[in-house]
Amino acid sequence: MIKIKDKSLCTGCGACVQSCSLHCISMQKDEEGFYYPKVEEKVCIDCGNCESVCPCINSTPHSKEETDVWCVKHQNDRIRFNSSSGGVFSALAEYIIQQKGIVFGAAMSADNCSAEHIAVQSFEEIERIRGSKYLQSSLGNTYVLTKEYLEQGRRVLFSGTPCQIKGLKLYLKKDFAHLICVDVICHGVPSQSLWAKYVEYLEKKLNAKIGSVNFRSKKYGWRDFGTGYSVNQEKQYFKFNFEDPYFCMFNSNFCLRPSCYYCQSKDGESGADITLGDFWNVETVFPELSDNKGLSMVLLNSDRGRELFEAVKKNFWSTNKGLSNELARKCNPAIYKSQSYHIARNTFYKDMNKLPFEKLSKKYVPKTGKVLLKAMLLRAGLWTYIEKIHRGGVTPSYGILIIYKK
């Protein structure tokens, strides 16, 4: 029987819920807005299925192979522009759908207050699961559906955070040759309650309902994003990551799930065939790659992952020349490293439940003159050059683009 005594030992993947044949486990939201399993003990027969699929208790049943490192960008600039980094996921998803397969990924809910995993089977639907979602997605019964599709002989690509992939692998209990798992290089996840509180604050501020959310808009480039604009009565609201309060809370690690500070699924432990992320600062090694449109780091962790990559490689410009695991880890340490626990987290979520979002923001991420100056220089297109002079490299600055209607 699953009993959560230490919240840092639960990722919220829900594998335990989906493995219970008696349906006596449900995911319940705690005071911070994170979901944890709750067992109806009068119904439970203590069969142990739930414990056998927990990614915090068990190791993923896979043989760890040598990882190949690639730097990749999609040849279609439109796809790359609409992707978080180099556009690799879109090509992988399109190929699986061409093979009459199913693709699972995270999408925003209809009201944009939460994220949820969904299954897509058409090219048009890929847009819903493309791009980063900076909050924890609910998996629902997607592990159950994945198993059903696999048993029907359908090809399945399942994308998610490392802990979600690890939970799926443990839930399935056996390897399926027509399953491809893709995880992302993960910073950690904030709660849906915090994001919903921010959405409520923004809708009051804008006096409008939010129509869509793009957490990684590239209007002014992959590293530096610009101001909003109006088209066909659709208003776009934009803030850089360092001036947007939600992003500041996320980047400062005030608000991550407890398990994210002690992640047991990083560095290949999830069992994913392919790992995707941003190849930050690779241009310091290969200056010719610096076009500011997005570069993907692709880690091929299995022969199955390598086969799929070869099948879609014609869509990309790609290189593995001079690339190594050491360089990849240097350019994106989140491959193997959990975020440090912020001491302010002890009070942050208590304040979240007591304070309006505006006051919460002023307390934890107050705007300074330096922040305002940096935003001004970025919007003027000057910050990149200043950083190059002072640091010899470029630090990514990304933002959130929210579309709303009056």
Side-chain angles (χ1 to χ4, degrees):
M1 181 187 302
I2 283 283
K3 289 186 177 181
I4 307 301
K5 297 178 181 179
D6 181 350
K7 289 186 175 180
S8 69
L9 296 177
C10 176
T11 67
C13 70
C16 53
V17 176
Q18 299 183 67
S19 70
C20 181
S21 59
L22 296 178
H23 307 291
C24 65
I25 310 176
S26 60
M27 297 298 285
Q28 301 291 326
K29 188 189 292 187
D30 73 352
E31 65 281 357
E32 295 180 347
F34 293 109
Y35 286 86
Y36 295 89
K38 183 178 180 181
V39 180
E40 192 176 346
E41 296 188 17
K42 291 182 179 179
V43 180
C44 178
I45 59 174
D46 207 16
C47 66
N49 279 347
C50 55
E51 293 174 319
S52 71
V53 299
C54 176
C56 289
I57 297 175
N58 304 281
S59 298
T60 314
H62 74 285
S63 56
K64 203 170 179 182
E65 302 176 28
E66 186 67 26
T67 295
D68 297 333
V69 181
W70 288 79
C71 181
V72 180
K73 59 182 178 181
H74 205 292
Q75 292 180 1
N76 185 318
D77 281 345
R78 181 189 62 81
I79 291 177
R80 190 152 63 119
F81 178 82
N82 291 319
S83 302
S84 293
S85 47
V88 174
F89 175 76
S90 294
L92 299 176
E94 286 179 1
Y95 179 81
I96 295 298
I97 289 173
Q98 284 174 354
Q99 305 296 309
K100 308 299 182 184
I102 313 293
V103 181
F104 287 87
M108 296 303 292
S109 61
D111 62 3
N112 289 300
C113 286
S114 61
E116 56 195 10
H117 256 60
I118 63 171
V120 304
Q121 303 184 50
S122 69
F123 297 141
E124 294 75 21
E125 293 176 300
I126 291 175
E127 184 178 352
R128 288 195 65 194
I129 60 174
R130 179 191 290 134
S132 302
K133 313 294 188 298
Y134 288 120
L135 66 160
Q136 184 162 27
S137 62
S138 300
L139 288 170
N141 68 337
T142 52
Y143 290 174
V144 174
L145 291 175
T146 297
K147 187 175 183 181
E148 290 177 359
Y149 285 128
L150 290 170
E151 290 177 340
Q152 293 168 14
R154 304 281 296 274
R155 294 197 73 174
V156 175
L157 186 153
F158 196 102
S159 64
T161 60
C163 59
Q164 290 173 336
I165 299 301
K166 188 175 180 181
L168 172 65
K169 289 275 191 173
L170 289 163
Y171 170 83
L172 293 174
K173 296 186 184 296
K174 71 172 186 177
D175 186 37
F176 287 87
H178 39 296
L179 169 66
I180 291 285
C181 289
V182 177
D183 67 1
V184 295
I185 299 174
C186 182
H187 177 96
V189 292
S191 80
Q192 293 191 0
S193 290
L194 176 62
W195 170 250
K197 193 177 182 80
Y198 183 51
V199 170
E200 181 184 21
Y201 158 76
L202 280 180
E203 289 185 339
K204 287 182 179 178
K205 178 180 178 178
L206 300 171
N207 191 28
K209 284 289 183 183
I210 289 175
S212 65
V213 180
N214 182 352
F215 287 94
R216 293 281 296 275
S217 168
K218 289 183 181 177
K219 186 178 188 306
Y220 291 92
W222 178 43
R223 293 182 298 267
D224 302 322
F225 291 75
T227 55
Y229 58 94
S230 300
V231 177
N232 298 329
Q233 297 182 342
E234 288 191 339
K235 307 292 184 180
Q236 293 193 356
Y237 174 86
F238 175 86
K239 291 287 183 181
F240 290 109
N241 69 323
F242 58 85
E243 63 175 347
D244 178 85
Y246 181 79
F247 264 90
C248 289
M249 294 169 187
F250 168 69
N251 287 336
S252 299
N253 303 327
F254 292 136
C255 56
L256 305 184
R257 188 181 180 95
S259 60
C260 294
Y261 301 103
Y262 314 98
C263 182
Q264 300 178 41
S265 305
K266 288 181 177 290
D267 207 13
E269 292 302 317
S270 70
D273 301 289
I274 300 174
T275 298
L276 300 178
D278 295 285
F279 219 138
W280 297 125
N281 286 319
V282 72
E283 59 264 46
T284 61
V285 182
F286 303 112
E288 66 274 15
L289 301 182
S290 184
D291 66 358
N292 199 24
K293 294 180 180 179
L295 293 169
S296 289
M297 179 184 292
V298 180
L299 307 179
L300 304 177
N301 307 316
S302 70
D303 287 340
R304 195 175 299 167
R306 282 182 272 273
E307 288 171 9
L308 177 57
F309 183 71
E310 284 297 321
V312 300
K313 200 174 175 183
K314 62 184 179 182
N315 297 293
F316 308 135
W317 172 93
S318 59
T319 183
N320 64 350
K321 184 180 179 181
L323 301 181
S324 64
N325 280 281
E326 182 181 1
L327 176 63
R329 291 156 78 93
K330 182 178 179 180
C331 289
N332 200 330
I335 292 172
Y336 69 97
K337 187 178 180 182
S338 297
Q339 302 304 314
S340 299
Y341 190 95
H342 200 297
I343 191 170
R345 194 192 186 283
N346 295 333
T347 58
F348 177 84
Y349 274 109
K350 291 179 182 178
D351 285 335
M352 183 194 77
N353 291 316
K354 293 187 300 183
L355 301 176
F357 189 88
E358 188 173 10
K359 289 187 176 181
L360 184 72
S361 171
K362 287 181 178 179
K363 180 174 180 178
Y364 287 92
V365 287
K367 288 186 179 179
T368 64
K370 183 178 179 181
V371 166
L372 296 173
L373 177 61
K374 182 177 178 181
M376 182 184 71
L377 291 171
L378 272 167
R379 289 186 170 94
L382 300 175
W383 182 258
T384 298
Y385 302 105
I386 293 172
E387 279 208 326
K388 282 184 177 180
I389 293 170
H390 287 280
R391 299 188 181 185
V394 178
T395 301
S397 297
Y398 44 88
I400 180 170
L401 182 67
I402 296 175
I403 299 175
Y404 63 100
K405 290 186 177 181
K406 285 287 188 183

